[in-house]
Amino acid sequence: MDTVSIYKKEYHVDYGDADYYRKIKLSSLFNYFQDVASLHAEKLELGVEKLLAEQGVTWVLVKILVQMEKFPALGEKLTVETWPLEPKKLEFERDFFVKDSEGNIIGRAISSWVIMDVESREIRRTELFPGRFPQFNQIRAIDGRMGKIKANGQLQQVYKKTIGYSDIDINGHLNNSKYIDYITDCFSIEKHGQYAVDTIQVSYISEALAGDSIVFYKDISGLDSGAVYVEGADEAGAKTYFKACITLK
């Protein structure tokens, strides 16, 4: 790939990044994605602080699909590579490779981001955003498009979480990696030991702000075939915050 449009960073799976089974937590991986995407944006002079100061806008992740062949263990090194695709009408696509210390691809991700006005919370069209972009690569980390996420069976309520100060990020809303922690908390430690994540697709639908309460539901009717569904909604059921589909192996 063109070195102008690709950015990479090496990471080390520390204790705070690992789970009970001494493998990297899924939320830590999402943090790496966010980190490397932010660093690349800064290099392209499209970083959050610059956009906020000059235009009053910020980057927001709206959907992501991650496919993992292997989860690195505690103490392992890995490299995350990222590159942008040509912008669509409202969305900016960005892909990722996760590579082990020998350069083998062990994970892939495709994602879509939007530019949000921090005051109005409205989405800005890409043609209205005077960004500086690199030469775009056509290669995709995962072939195909992200599909619609929906439950196939009966939803069961798991727990309720009220968003607090430690949950929100610099944009004032629940950070995308925090959602992953809450999704994985819908399943017991024993289930996490029994199954490994093959793919996870998440659609971030509505902002969750400090003080909001999210009720988490799961559909495990497809567990025997290796698929589960999780969603979060407000207590009245009027607003859906996110939907997630996970395939297991």
Side-chain angles (χ1 to χ4, degrees):
M1 283 185 286
D2 189 336
T3 56
V4 174
S5 60
I6 189 171
Y7 186 88
K8 62 180 69 176
K9 182 179 177 181
E10 185 177 281
Y11 294 89
H12 182 273
V13 183
D14 297 319
Y15 284 104
D17 301 322
D19 66 7
Y20 175 77
Y21 295 100
R22 293 177 173 262
K23 297 287 187 179
I24 189 172
K25 290 190 295 185
L26 198 54
S27 60
S28 297
L29 194 62
F30 272 63
N31 272 325
Y32 293 173
F33 291 147
Q34 180 174 271
D35 181 52
V36 74
S38 297
L39 291 172
H40 194 198
E42 289 177 7
K43 185 176 181 180
L44 298 172
E45 298 185 11
L46 296 168
V48 170
E49 297 301 325
K50 184 178 178 65
L51 294 185
L52 185 60
E54 295 182 356
Q55 302 182 53
V57 298
T58 189
W59 292 105
V60 175
L61 177 64
V62 291
K63 56 185 176 180
I64 185 169
L65 169 62
V66 180
Q67 181 181 60
M68 293 299 293
E69 297 177 14
K70 173 188 174 185
F71 280 81
L74 175 66
E76 287 190 30
K77 291 182 179 180
L78 59 93
T79 300
V80 180
E81 299 181 355
T82 187
W83 64 96
L85 284 297
E86 188 169 357
K88 295 183 177 181
K89 190 174 183 180
L90 290 174
E91 297 180 352
F92 297 82
E93 294 181 317
R94 177 175 283 278
D95 286 13
F96 304 85
F97 280 148
V98 181
K99 296 184 176 181
D100 64 17
S101 58
E102 296 180 351
N104 302 306
I105 298 175
I106 59 173
R108 306 166 184 268
I110 57 177
S111 63
S112 294
W113 305 68
V114 296
I115 290 290
M116 182 185 73
D117 186 296
V118 296
E119 292 296 330
S120 68
R121 315 307 278 188
E122 294 180 348
I123 306 305
R124 182 173 295 187
R125 291 178 178 268
T126 57
E127 67 265 24
L128 300 178
F129 176 62
R132 297 176 57 186
F133 301 101
Q135 180 179 346
F136 296 108
N137 288 305
Q138 299 302 315
I139 189 171
R140 298 306 309 264
I142 299 174
D143 293 330
R145 307 170 69 90
M146 286 183 265
K148 291 186 177 181
I149 304 175
K150 61 180 181 179
N152 294 312
Q154 184 68 36
L155 290 177
Q156 61 182 84
Q157 183 174 331
V158 187
Y159 71 100
K160 182 176 72 172
K161 165 73 178 179
T162 300
I163 306 307
Y165 172 79
S166 64
D167 299 308
I168 60 173
D169 59 17
I170 62 173
N171 292 325
H173 59 207
L174 184 61
N175 186 265
N176 71 81
S177 65
K178 286 285 190 178
Y179 283 94
I180 307 305
D181 278 329
Y182 303 153
I183 290 169
T184 54
D185 281 348
C186 288
F187 305 93
S188 68
I189 293 176
E190 291 75 22
K191 289 297 184 185
H192 282 285
Q194 185 178 355
Y195 297 96
V197 171
D198 181 24
T199 68
I200 178 169
Q201 182 178 331
V202 186
S203 291
Y204 301 95
I205 300 169
S206 301
E207 285 189 285
L209 308 176
D212 287 345
S213 291
I214 302 180
V215 182
F216 293 84
Y217 301 89
K218 66 182 179 182
D219 169 17
I220 57 173
S221 61
L223 183 59
D224 290 342
S225 60
V228 294
Y229 169 90
V230 179
E231 73 172 43
D234 65 355
E235 294 183 83
K239 177 189 291 186
T240 300
Y241 290 104
F242 76 90
K243 293 182 177 181
C245 179
I246 307 163
T247 61
L248 306 167
K249 55 186 176 182

